[in-house]
Amino acid sequence: MSKETSSDNDKHRQDKREAEMSDTVEESTIYWQGHDEFSGDLNQVKKVLNEVMGLGSSFDVMLREMNYGGIEVGILFIGGFTNSDIMTDIITRLTYIDHGEMRSHVMMSFFDKYIPHVQVEKVTELSKAINKVLTGMSAFFIDGDNTIILVDTRTYPSRNPDESSIERVVRGSRDGFTETLNTNVALVRRRIRDPGLKCEVVQVGRRTRTDVCIAFIDDIVDKVQVNSIRDKIKKVKIDGLPLGDKQLEEAIINKGWHPYPLVRYSERPDVVASHLLEGRVAVFVDTSPSVMIMPTTFFDLCQHAEENRQTPFIGTYLRWVRFAGVLFSMFLLPLWMLLVLNPELKPAALDFIGPQETGKIPLISQFLMVEFGVDLLRLAAVHTPTSISSAMGLIAAILIGDVAVQTGLFVNEVVLYMAIAAIGMFATPSYELGLANRIVRLVLLIAVAIFHVPGFVVGTTLLILLLTLHRSYNSSYLWPFIPFNAKAMAEILFRMPVLSNKKRPSFNKPRDNTRMPQK
């Protein structure tokens, strides 16, 4: 071939690359070879792989060409996803193939004798093989045969299932979810040995093709709810989910600007298992160390695993303390400022409330500055090494706070009540709920500062309406308070003994609402 012809071919190929507008691997494969079937020609498939998945240009995309029994075999895999021990064992066994056996029964030899691995499948479409390889599997292309053998040789970079840093308990299991989907599902399977536990996998994202697992107990869960969740996930049209479950939540549930979460995130497999047994649906997203539980309510987000690790009496006490912390984080500061701005509202027993001097800065400005200061401190702690984050917190809390009070910029009560409200926010079991409550507190503070009593009353009323109209998969967000269910509300306020909970919550619309066999 002359240099001019080679140059023309290269220019034509480059123009063809720039003109490609494929949305899927299948479309790209058809674009480069005219069809999606593997023709059995290794040289042809190498040219397609060069264009479709970067073979030859991406260092981790590898095609190992070997000769077994006189037949050329190409093994396609991603370097960082392949278990070298499994691959070495397979390649070693394939060297036992003799020439005559390979000629007469190619596929039978491969499957029946020489690939002793659990998960093996056959495909003829090149796009399917490429998609499987991108998930970590290995593809065997046999020259002269149009069938591709896919072997699961995957091994993902992962960490140990350590205890969640957010949902710690004094007593209880110390394992938590990791970034690997198979590990997370196995942790739940270990706790629910029920054949009715179904785990369906859907891929989301045109480019990331992220594995999303929908888990539920088939004979308990409301099938309408499962179908709705599955359909919404399948209808998501997006490039990918590089940030995992949070992006999926926004795509299928919380699409607007509402601050309150509609799903509960958990990093504990025992919490997810208990919700599955109640009839909830759990959604696992690969690369995410947390699991979405849906539907959920405001009161679900206020509960913690520690309450169920103690006796019913102690668990009830802890639950009430958490509820008090949630209420303090929302209403303590607006109520205090309302009483300060309107002293006539204070009963005689609360005459001690209120500063003797208001400071050099207006109260609302003091609150806003402290609010933003707490948020800055929280963000700084996230980005600061652990070894110095405690020292940074002490400097901010003691030096800055004390100097601000001593110079007369702030009053002592502002710092005191802000600290109580911040503790209540951090004591809220759901991190997302704590942040939403903080936004409500800011809005109520501004409403009280401008409109005084009407501002507090109207703001609180709008908050209740906002939460009441908020729907979690067509279910009330404030259930069992609105609509009121006395028995369910009692189970929210009191941590009942295990044997007293004979029915599953009606909120989940379970097909089987009995927890215990009927005698």
Side-chain angles (χ1 to χ4, degrees), residues 19-54:
E20 183 179 3
M21 299 293 291
S22 303
D23 286 334
T24 64
V25 174
E26 182 180 2
E27 291 179 7
S28 182
T29 303
I30 295 174
Y31 179 81
W32 285 102
Q33 74 169 8
H35 55 86
D36 192 24
E37 302 296 321
F38 172 48
S39 63
D41 186 352
L42 275 182
N43 292 326
Q44 172 65 21
V45 81
K46 281 193 293 184
K47 294 178 182 178
V48 177
L49 293 175
N50 285 340
E51 304 299 339
V52 175
M53 65 180 304

PDB file of all heavy atoms in Angstrom, residues 19-54:
ATOM      1  N   ALA A  19     -17.182  12.306  13.143  1.00  0.00           N
ATOM      2  CA  ALA A  19     -18.586  12.364  12.743  1.00  0.00           C
ATOM      3  C   ALA A  19     -19.473  11.453  13.578  1.00  0.00           C
ATOM      4  O   ALA A  19     -20.699  11.533  13.482  1.00  0.00           O
ATOM      5  CB  ALA A  19     -18.709  11.991  11.262  1.00  0.00           C
ATOM      6  N   GLU A  20     -18.870  10.582  14.402  1.00  0.00           N
ATOM      7  CA  GLU A  20     -19.677   9.624  15.165  1.00  0.00           C
ATOM      8  C   GLU A  20     -20.501  10.334  16.236  1.00  0.00           C
ATOM      9  O   GLU A  20     -19.994  11.169  16.991  1.00  0.00           O
ATOM     10  CB  GLU A  20     -18.792   8.573  15.828  1.00  0.00           C
ATOM     11  CG  GLU A  20     -19.594   7.526  16.578  1.00  0.00           C
ATOM     12  CD  GLU A  20     -18.716   6.468  17.232  1.00  0.00           C
ATOM     13  OE1 GLU A  20     -17.484   6.580  17.149  1.00  0.00           O
ATOM     14  OE2 GLU A  20     -19.277   5.549  17.849  1.00  0.00           O
ATOM     15  N   MET A  21     -21.783   9.991  16.316  1.00  0.00           N
ATOM     16  CA  MET A  21     -22.698  10.563  17.303  1.00  0.00           C
ATOM     17  C   MET A  21     -23.478   9.450  18.002  1.00  0.00           C
ATOM     18  O   MET A  21     -24.661   9.585  18.289  1.00  0.00           O
ATOM     19  CB  MET A  21     -23.670  11.540  16.620  1.00  0.00           C
ATOM     20  CG  MET A  21     -23.009  12.721  15.940  1.00  0.00           C
ATOM     21  SD  MET A  21     -22.216  13.849  17.106  1.00  0.00           S
ATOM     22  CE  MET A  21     -23.658  14.535  17.899  1.00  0.00           C
ATOM     23  N   SER A  22     -22.834   8.343  18.277  1.00  0.00           N
ATOM     24  CA  SER A  22     -23.510   7.183  18.865  1.00  0.00           C
ATOM     25  C   SER A  22     -23.851   7.446  20.316  1.00  0.00           C
ATOM     26  O   SER A  22     -23.058   8.030  21.071  1.00  0.00           O
ATOM     27  CB  SER A  22     -22.621   5.943  18.765  1.00  0.00           C
ATOM     28  OG  SER A  22     -22.273   5.680  17.418  1.00  0.00           O
ATOM     29  N   ASP A  23     -25.032   7.001  20.741  1.00  0.00           N
ATOM     30  CA  ASP A  23     -25.474   7.147  22.121  1.00  0.00           C
ATOM     31  C   ASP A  23     -25.225   5.890  22.948  1.00  0.00           C
ATOM     32  O   ASP A  23     -25.185   5.948  24.170  1.00  0.00           O
ATOM     33  CB  ASP A  23     -26.968   7.484  22.180  1.00  0.00           C
ATOM     34  CG  ASP A  23     -27.240   8.914  21.766  1.00  0.00           C
ATOM     35  OD1 ASP A  23     -26.324   9.748  21.921  1.00  0.00           O
ATOM     36  OD2 ASP A  23     -28.347   9.199  21.293  1.00  0.00           O
ATOM     37  N   THR A  24     -25.098   4.741  22.307  1.00  0.00           N
ATOM     38  CA  THR A  24     -24.909   3.481  23.017  1.00  0.00           C
ATOM     39  C   THR A  24     -23.769   2.704  22.390  1.00  0.00           C
ATOM     40  O   THR A  24     -23.321   2.998  21.270  1.00  0.00           O
ATOM     41  CB  THR A  24     -26.184   2.625  22.976  1.00  0.00           C
ATOM     42  OG1 THR A  24     -26.469   2.262  21.621  1.00  0.00           O
ATOM     43  CG2 THR A  24     -27.376   3.388  23.562  1.00  0.00           C
ATOM     44  N   VAL A  25     -23.313   1.695  23.134  1.00  0.00           N
ATOM     45  CA  VAL A  25     -22.252   0.823  22.609  1.00  0.00           C
ATOM     46  C   VAL A  25     -22.747   0.073  21.382  1.00  0.00           C
ATOM     47  O   VAL A  25     -22.008  -0.136  20.416  1.00  0.00           O
ATOM     48  CB  VAL A  25     -21.796  -0.165  23.708  1.00  0.00           C
ATOM     49  CG1 VAL A  25     -20.794  -1.176  23.138  1.00  0.00           C
ATOM     50  CG2 VAL A  25     -21.166   0.586  24.869  1.00  0.00           C
ATOM     51  N   GLU A  26     -24.005  -0.319  21.401  1.00  0.00           N
ATOM     52  CA  GLU A  26     -24.569  -1.035  20.257  1.00  0.00           C
ATOM     53  C   GLU A  26     -24.544  -0.162  19.002  1.00  0.00           C
ATOM     54  O   GLU A  26     -24.139  -0.608  17.921  1.00  0.00           O
ATOM     55  CB  GLU A  26     -26.000  -1.466  20.564  1.00  0.00           C
ATOM     56  CG  GLU A  26     -26.652  -2.247  19.449  1.00  0.00           C
ATOM     57  CD  GLU A  26     -28.072  -2.668  19.771  1.00  0.00           C
ATOM     58  OE1 GLU A  26     -28.556  -2.313  20.876  1.00  0.00           O
ATOM     59  OE2 GLU A  26     -28.697  -3.332  18.930  1.00  0.00           O
ATOM     60  N   GLU A  27     -24.949   1.099  19.148  1.00  0.00           N
ATOM     61  CA  GLU A  27     -24.934   2.007  18.002  1.00  0.00           C
ATOM     62  C   GLU A  27     -23.505   2.235  17.504  1.00  0.00           C
ATOM     63  O   GLU A  27     -23.259   2.306  16.295  1.00  0.00           O
ATOM     64  CB  GLU A  27     -25.575   3.338  18.382  1.00  0.00           C
ATOM     65  CG  GLU A  27     -27.073   3.260  18.634  1.00  0.00           C
ATOM     66  CD  GLU A  27     -27.657   4.609  19.027  1.00  0.00           C
ATOM     67  OE1 GLU A  27     -26.913   5.617  18.976  1.00  0.00           O
ATOM     68  OE2 GLU A  27     -28.850   4.662  19.372  1.00  0.00           O
ATOM     69  N   SER A  28     -22.564   2.351  18.440  1.00  0.00           N
ATOM     70  CA  SER A  28     -21.170   2.565  18.052  1.00  0.00           C
ATOM     71  C   SER A  28     -20.607   1.348  17.329  1.00  0.00           C
ATOM     72  O   SER A  28     -19.868   1.481  16.334  1.00  0.00           O
ATOM     73  CB  SER A  28     -20.333   2.876  19.293  1.00  0.00           C
ATOM     74  OG  SER A  28     -18.991   3.135  18.950  1.00  0.00           O
ATOM     75  N   THR A  29     -20.960   0.154  17.800  1.00  0.00           N
ATOM     76  CA  THR A  29     -20.483  -1.071  17.145  1.00  0.00           C
ATOM     77  C   THR A  29     -21.026  -1.170  15.721  1.00  0.00           C
ATOM     78  O   THR A  29     -20.286  -1.493  14.778  1.00  0.00           O
ATOM     79  CB  THR A  29     -20.912  -2.302  17.967  1.00  0.00           C
ATOM     80  OG1 THR A  29     -20.425  -2.185  19.298  1.00  0.00           O
ATOM     81  CG2 THR A  29     -20.355  -3.575  17.354  1.00  0.00           C
ATOM     82  N   ILE A  30     -22.303  -0.910  15.566  1.00  0.00           N
ATOM     83  CA  ILE A  30     -22.911  -0.953  14.226  1.00  0.00           C
ATOM     84  C   ILE A  30     -22.292   0.122  13.331  1.00  0.00           C
ATOM     85  O   ILE A  30     -22.079  -0.089  12.130  1.00  0.00           O
ATOM     86  CB  ILE A  30     -24.440  -0.772  14.344  1.00  0.00           C
ATOM     87  CG1 ILE A  30     -25.053  -1.956  15.098  1.00  0.00           C
ATOM     88  CG2 ILE A  30     -25.071  -0.617  12.973  1.00  0.00           C
ATOM     89  CD1 ILE A  30     -26.537  -1.803  15.393  1.00  0.00           C
ATOM     90  N   TYR A  31     -21.965   1.263  13.903  1.00  0.00           N
ATOM     91  CA  TYR A  31     -21.372   2.352  13.126  1.00  0.00           C
ATOM     92  C   TYR A  31     -20.028   1.936  12.522  1.00  0.00           C
ATOM     93  O   TYR A  31     -19.703   2.300  11.396  1.00  0.00           O
ATOM     94  CB  TYR A  31     -21.208   3.568  14.035  1.00  0.00           C
ATOM     95  CG  TYR A  31     -20.578   4.786  13.368  1.00  0.00           C
ATOM     96  CD1 TYR A  31     -21.339   5.643  12.587  1.00  0.00           C
ATOM     97  CD2 TYR A  31     -19.234   5.070  13.541  1.00  0.00           C
ATOM     98  CE1 TYR A  31     -20.774   6.761  11.983  1.00  0.00           C
ATOM     99  CE2 TYR A  31     -18.652   6.173  12.943  1.00  0.00           C
ATOM    100  CZ  TYR A  31     -19.428   7.019  12.171  1.00  0.00           C
ATOM    101  OH  TYR A  31     -18.854   8.110  11.576  1.00  0.00           O
ATOM    102  N   TRP A  32     -19.249   1.160  13.299  1.00  0.00           N
ATOM    103  CA  TRP A  32     -17.895   0.839  12.857  1.00  0.00           C
ATOM    104  C   TRP A  32     -17.795  -0.451  12.061  1.00  0.00           C
ATOM    105  O   TRP A  32     -16.842  -0.621  11.291  1.00  0.00           O
ATOM    106  CB  TRP A  32     -16.947   0.786  14.045  1.00  0.00           C
ATOM    107  CG  TRP A  32     -16.597   2.157  14.557  1.00  0.00           C
ATOM    108  CD1 TRP A  32     -17.089   2.780  15.648  1.00  0.00           C
ATOM    109  CD2 TRP A  32     -15.702   3.069  13.945  1.00  0.00           C
ATOM    110  NE1 TRP A  32     -16.555   4.035  15.769  1.00  0.00           N
ATOM    111  CE2 TRP A  32     -15.691   4.247  14.729  1.00  0.00           C
ATOM    112  CE3 TRP A  32     -14.904   3.029  12.804  1.00  0.00           C
ATOM    113  CZ2 TRP A  32     -14.920   5.351  14.404  1.00  0.00           C
ATOM    114  CZ3 TRP A  32     -14.126   4.128  12.476  1.00  0.00           C
ATOM    115  CH2 TRP A  32     -14.140   5.281  13.276  1.00  0.00           C
ATOM    116  N   GLN A  33     -18.739  -1.396  12.247  1.00  0.00           N
ATOM    117  CA  GLN A  33     -18.613  -2.614  11.451  1.00  0.00           C
ATOM    118  C   GLN A  33     -19.874  -2.967  10.671  1.00  0.00           C
ATOM    119  O   GLN A  33     -19.928  -4.007  10.015  1.00  0.00           O
ATOM    120  CB  GLN A  33     -18.194  -3.796  12.344  1.00  0.00           C
ATOM    121  CG  GLN A  33     -19.253  -4.349  13.257  1.00  0.00           C
ATOM    122  CD  GLN A  33     -18.816  -5.671  13.890  1.00  0.00           C
ATOM    123  OE1 GLN A  33     -17.675  -6.098  13.770  1.00  0.00           O
ATOM    124  NE2 GLN A  33     -19.746  -6.321  14.575  1.00  0.00           N
ATOM    125  N   GLY A  34     -20.903  -2.134  10.782  1.00  0.00           N
ATOM    126  CA  GLY A  34     -22.086  -2.345   9.972  1.00  0.00           C
ATOM    127  C   GLY A  34     -23.121  -3.253  10.591  1.00  0.00           C
ATOM    128  O   GLY A  34     -24.258  -3.322  10.131  1.00  0.00           O
ATOM    129  N   HIS A  35     -22.762  -3.985  11.626  1.00  0.00           N
ATOM    130  CA  HIS A  35     -23.684  -4.894  12.323  1.00  0.00           C
ATOM    131  C   HIS A  35     -23.135  -5.125  13.726  1.00  0.00           C
ATOM    132  O   HIS A  35     -22.009  -4.726  14.042  1.00  0.00           O
ATOM    133  CB  HIS A  35     -23.831  -6.225  11.572  1.00  0.00           C
ATOM    134  CG  HIS A  35     -22.514  -6.907  11.314  1.00  0.00           C
ATOM    135  ND1 HIS A  35     -21.891  -7.743  12.218  1.00  0.00           N
ATOM    136  CD2 HIS A  35     -21.688  -6.846  10.222  1.00  0.00           C
ATOM    137  CE1 HIS A  35     -20.758  -8.178  11.723  1.00  0.00           C
ATOM    138  NE2 HIS A  35     -20.607  -7.650  10.502  1.00  0.00           N
ATOM    139  N   ASP A  36     -23.942  -5.778  14.569  1.00  0.00           N
ATOM    140  CA  ASP A  36     -23.551  -5.976  15.967  1.00  0.00           C
ATOM    141  C   ASP A  36     -23.057  -7.388  16.242  1.00  0.00           C
ATOM    142  O   ASP A  36     -22.609  -7.685  17.340  1.00  0.00           O
ATOM    143  CB  ASP A  36     -24.740  -5.647  16.890  1.00  0.00           C
ATOM    144  CG  ASP A  36     -24.332  -5.535  18.348  1.00  0.00           C
ATOM    145  OD1 ASP A  36     -23.140  -5.257  18.602  1.00  0.00           O
ATOM    146  OD2 ASP A  36     -25.184  -5.734  19.232  1.00  0.00           O
ATOM    147  N   GLU A  37     -23.118  -8.264  15.270  1.00  0.00           N
ATOM    148  CA  GLU A  37     -22.721  -9.652  15.492  1.00  0.00           C
ATOM    149  C   GLU A  37     -21.203  -9.801  15.390  1.00  0.00           C
ATOM    150  O   GLU A  37     -20.551  -9.129  14.592  1.00  0.00           O
ATOM    151  CB  GLU A  37     -23.399 -10.572  14.469  1.00  0.00           C
ATOM    152  CG  GLU A  37     -24.922 -10.502  14.489  1.00  0.00           C
ATOM    153  CD  GLU A  37     -25.493 -10.984  15.797  1.00  0.00           C
ATOM    154  OE1 GLU A  37     -24.965 -11.968  16.346  1.00  0.00           O
ATOM    155  OE2 GLU A  37     -26.461 -10.381  16.289  1.00  0.00           O
ATOM    156  N   PHE A  38     -20.656 -10.726  16.192  1.00  0.00           N
ATOM    157  CA  PHE A  38     -19.243 -11.050  16.099  1.00  0.00           C
ATOM    158  C   PHE A  38     -19.054 -11.997  14.924  1.00  0.00           C
ATOM    159  O   PHE A  38     -19.640 -13.078  14.868  1.00  0.00           O
ATOM    160  CB  PHE A  38     -18.773 -11.696  17.392  1.00  0.00           C
ATOM    161  CG  PHE A  38     -17.368 -12.237  17.339  1.00  0.00           C
ATOM    162  CD1 PHE A  38     -16.328 -11.461  16.842  1.00  0.00           C
ATOM    163  CD2 PHE A  38     -17.080 -13.531  17.772  1.00  0.00           C
ATOM    164  CE1 PHE A  38     -15.030 -11.956  16.771  1.00  0.00           C
ATOM    165  CE2 PHE A  38     -15.797 -14.030  17.727  1.00  0.00           C
ATOM    166  CZ  PHE A  38     -14.769 -13.239  17.220  1.00  0.00           C
ATOM    167  N   SER A  39     -18.221 -11.593  13.989  1.00  0.00           N
ATOM    168  CA  SER A  39     -18.057 -12.362  12.749  1.00  0.00           C
ATOM    169  C   SER A  39     -17.138 -13.556  12.899  1.00  0.00           C
ATOM    170  O   SER A  39     -17.066 -14.398  11.998  1.00  0.00           O
ATOM    171  CB  SER A  39     -17.527 -11.441  11.650  1.00  0.00           C
ATOM    172  OG  SER A  39     -16.231 -10.942  11.997  1.00  0.00           O
ATOM    173  N   GLY A  40     -16.400 -13.637  13.980  1.00  0.00           N
ATOM    174  CA  GLY A  40     -15.427 -14.714  14.149  1.00  0.00           C
ATOM    175  C   GLY A  40     -14.048 -14.363  13.643  1.00  0.00           C
ATOM    176  O   GLY A  40     -13.126 -15.193  13.702  1.00  0.00           O
ATOM    177  N   ASP A  41     -13.861 -13.142  13.162  1.00  0.00           N
ATOM    178  CA  ASP A  41     -12.571 -12.675  12.643  1.00  0.00           C
ATOM    179  C   ASP A  41     -11.893 -11.822  13.717  1.00  0.00           C
ATOM    180  O   ASP A  41     -12.345 -10.719  14.025  1.00  0.00           O
ATOM    181  CB  ASP A  41     -12.801 -11.870  11.364  1.00  0.00           C
ATOM    182  CG  ASP A  41     -11.495 -11.463  10.689  1.00  0.00           C
ATOM    183  OD1 ASP A  41     -10.411 -11.667  11.285  1.00  0.00           O
ATOM    184  OD2 ASP A  41     -11.555 -10.934   9.560  1.00  0.00           O
ATOM    185  N   LEU A  42     -10.802 -12.317  14.270  1.00  0.00           N
ATOM    186  CA  LEU A  42     -10.111 -11.587  15.341  1.00  0.00           C
ATOM    187  C   LEU A  42      -9.539 -10.264  14.847  1.00  0.00           C
ATOM    188  O   LEU A  42      -9.548  -9.273  15.571  1.00  0.00           O
ATOM    189  CB  LEU A  42      -8.998 -12.455  15.932  1.00  0.00           C
ATOM    190  CG  LEU A  42      -9.378 -13.442  17.041  1.00  0.00           C
ATOM    191  CD1 LEU A  42      -8.152 -14.190  17.537  1.00  0.00           C
ATOM    192  CD2 LEU A  42     -10.044 -12.708  18.195  1.00  0.00           C
ATOM    193  N   ASN A  43      -9.009 -10.243  13.652  1.00  0.00           N
ATOM    194  CA  ASN A  43      -8.441  -9.004  13.132  1.00  0.00           C
ATOM    195  C   ASN A  43      -9.503  -7.924  12.991  1.00  0.00           C
ATOM    196  O   ASN A  43      -9.265  -6.750  13.289  1.00  0.00           O
ATOM    197  CB  ASN A  43      -7.770  -9.266  11.771  1.00  0.00           C
ATOM    198  CG  ASN A  43      -6.524 -10.131  11.915  1.00  0.00           C
ATOM    199  OD1 ASN A  43      -5.808 -10.030  12.906  1.00  0.00           O
ATOM    200  ND2 ASN A  43      -6.279 -10.986  10.922  1.00  0.00           N
ATOM    201  N   GLN A  44     -10.686  -8.337  12.544  1.00  0.00           N
ATOM    202  CA  GLN A  44     -11.776  -7.376  12.402  1.00  0.00           C
ATOM    203  C   GLN A  44     -12.229  -6.847  13.759  1.00  0.00           C
ATOM    204  O   GLN A  44     -12.461  -5.648  13.937  1.00  0.00           O
ATOM    205  CB  GLN A  44     -12.953  -8.034  11.669  1.00  0.00           C
ATOM    206  CG  GLN A  44     -14.233  -7.197  11.634  1.00  0.00           C
ATOM    207  CD  GLN A  44     -14.089  -5.919  10.838  1.00  0.00           C
ATOM    208  OE1 GLN A  44     -13.187  -5.808   9.994  1.00  0.00           O
ATOM    209  NE2 GLN A  44     -14.950  -4.954  11.096  1.00  0.00           N
ATOM    210  N   VAL A  45     -12.337  -7.748  14.733  1.00  0.00           N
ATOM    211  CA  VAL A  45     -12.827  -7.319  16.047  1.00  0.00           C
ATOM    212  C   VAL A  45     -11.825  -6.398  16.722  1.00  0.00           C
ATOM    213  O   VAL A  45     -12.202  -5.494  17.472  1.00  0.00           O
ATOM    214  CB  VAL A  45     -13.155  -8.538  16.927  1.00  0.00           C
ATOM    215  CG1 VAL A  45     -11.904  -9.120  17.574  1.00  0.00           C
ATOM    216  CG2 VAL A  45     -14.145  -8.152  18.027  1.00  0.00           C
ATOM    217  N   LYS A  46     -10.535  -6.595  16.457  1.00  0.00           N
ATOM    218  CA  LYS A  46      -9.535  -5.691  17.041  1.00  0.00           C
ATOM    219  C   LYS A  46      -9.709  -4.270  16.509  1.00  0.00           C
ATOM    220  O   LYS A  46      -9.570  -3.297  17.260  1.00  0.00           O
ATOM    221  CB  LYS A  46      -8.122  -6.206  16.743  1.00  0.00           C
ATOM    222  CG  LYS A  46      -7.689  -7.351  17.647  1.00  0.00           C
ATOM    223  CD  LYS A  46      -6.199  -7.616  17.538  1.00  0.00           C
ATOM    224  CE  LYS A  46      -5.837  -8.153  16.170  1.00  0.00           C
ATOM    225  NZ  LYS A  46      -4.395  -8.508  16.109  1.00  0.00           N
ATOM    226  N   LYS A  47      -9.999  -4.150  15.218  1.00  0.00           N
ATOM    227  CA  LYS A  47     -10.211  -2.820  14.654  1.00  0.00           C
ATOM    228  C   LYS A  47     -11.426  -2.140  15.283  1.00  0.00           C
ATOM    229  O   LYS A  47     -11.410  -0.941  15.571  1.00  0.00           O
ATOM    230  CB  LYS A  47     -10.400  -2.936  13.142  1.00  0.00           C
ATOM    231  CG  LYS A  47      -9.163  -3.406  12.398  1.00  0.00           C
ATOM    232  CD  LYS A  47      -9.443  -3.540  10.903  1.00  0.00           C
ATOM    233  CE  LYS A  47      -8.220  -4.052  10.153  1.00  0.00           C
ATOM    234  NZ  LYS A  47      -8.499  -4.222   8.696  1.00  0.00           N
ATOM    235  N   VAL A  48     -12.495  -2.917  15.511  1.00  0.00           N
ATOM    236  CA  VAL A  48     -13.695  -2.348  16.127  1.00  0.00           C
ATOM    237  C   VAL A  48     -13.428  -1.949  17.572  1.00  0.00           C
ATOM    238  O   VAL A  48     -13.843  -0.884  18.036  1.00  0.00           O
ATOM    239  CB  VAL A  48     -14.864  -3.349  16.035  1.00  0.00           C
ATOM    240  CG1 VAL A  48     -16.101  -2.799  16.745  1.00  0.00           C
ATOM    241  CG2 VAL A  48     -15.184  -3.671  14.584  1.00  0.00           C
ATOM    242  N   LEU A  49     -12.720  -2.817  18.298  1.00  0.00           N
ATOM    243  CA  LEU A  49     -12.415  -2.516  19.702  1.00  0.00           C
ATOM    244  C   LEU A  49     -11.523  -1.291  19.833  1.00  0.00           C
ATOM    245  O   LEU A  49     -11.617  -0.548  20.813  1.00  0.00           O
ATOM    246  CB  LEU A  49     -11.756  -3.723  20.363  1.00  0.00           C
ATOM    247  CG  LEU A  49     -12.639  -4.966  20.532  1.00  0.00           C
ATOM    248  CD1 LEU A  49     -11.822  -6.125  21.100  1.00  0.00           C
ATOM    249  CD2 LEU A  49     -13.821  -4.671  21.435  1.00  0.00           C
ATOM    250  N   ASN A  50     -10.657  -1.080  18.864  1.00  0.00           N
ATOM    251  CA  ASN A  50      -9.814   0.119  18.891  1.00  0.00           C
ATOM    252  C   ASN A  50     -10.651   1.387  18.879  1.00  0.00           C
ATOM    253  O   ASN A  50     -10.318   2.375  19.548  1.00  0.00           O
ATOM    254  CB  ASN A  50      -8.870   0.123  17.675  1.00  0.00           C
ATOM    255  CG  ASN A  50      -7.717  -0.856  17.829  1.00  0.00           C
ATOM    256  OD1 ASN A  50      -7.399  -1.255  18.944  1.00  0.00           O
ATOM    257  ND2 ASN A  50      -7.119  -1.257  16.721  1.00  0.00           N
ATOM    258  N   GLU A  51     -11.740   1.369  18.122  1.00  0.00           N
ATOM    259  CA  GLU A  51     -12.567   2.555  17.971  1.00  0.00           C
ATOM    260  C   GLU A  51     -13.634   2.674  19.050  1.00  0.00           C
ATOM    261  O   GLU A  51     -13.944   3.761  19.519  1.00  0.00           O
ATOM    262  CB  GLU A  51     -13.244   2.550  16.591  1.00  0.00           C
ATOM    263  CG  GLU A  51     -12.294   2.451  15.412  1.00  0.00           C
ATOM    264  CD  GLU A  51     -11.325   3.612  15.332  1.00  0.00           C
ATOM    265  OE1 GLU A  51     -11.616   4.682  15.915  1.00  0.00           O
ATOM    266  OE2 GLU A  51     -10.267   3.472  14.701  1.00  0.00           O
ATOM    267  N   VAL A  52     -14.200   1.533  19.466  1.00  0.00           N
ATOM    268  CA  VAL A  52     -15.344   1.570  20.381  1.00  0.00           C
ATOM    269  C   VAL A  52     -14.909   1.726  21.826  1.00  0.00           C
ATOM    270  O   VAL A  52     -15.505   2.504  22.585  1.00  0.00           O
ATOM    271  CB  VAL A  52     -16.211   0.303  20.204  1.00  0.00           C
ATOM    272  CG1 VAL A  52     -17.339   0.283  21.233  1.00  0.00           C
ATOM    273  CG2 VAL A  52     -16.787   0.249  18.804  1.00  0.00           C
ATOM    274  N   MET A  53     -13.884   1.007  22.259  1.00  0.00           N
ATOM    275  CA  MET A  53     -13.514   1.057  23.677  1.00  0.00           C
ATOM    276  C   MET A  53     -12.060   1.418  23.939  1.00  0.00           C
ATOM    277  O   MET A  53     -11.557   1.230  25.043  1.00  0.00           O
ATOM    278  CB  MET A  53     -13.869  -0.256  24.380  1.00  0.00           C
ATOM    279  CG  MET A  53     -13.119  -1.475  23.913  1.00  0.00           C
ATOM    280  SD  MET A  53     -13.609  -2.983  24.824  1.00  0.00           S
ATOM    281  CE  MET A  53     -13.319  -2.523  26.517  1.00  0.00           C
ATOM    282  N   GLY A  54     -11.365   1.942  22.929  1.00  0.00           N
ATOM    283  CA  GLY A  54     -10.035   2.483  23.163  1.00  0.00           C
ATOM    284  C   GLY A  54      -8.942   1.458  23.301  1.00  0.00           C
ATOM    285  O   GLY A  54      -7.928   1.719  23.972  1.00  0.00           O
TER     286      GLY A  54
END
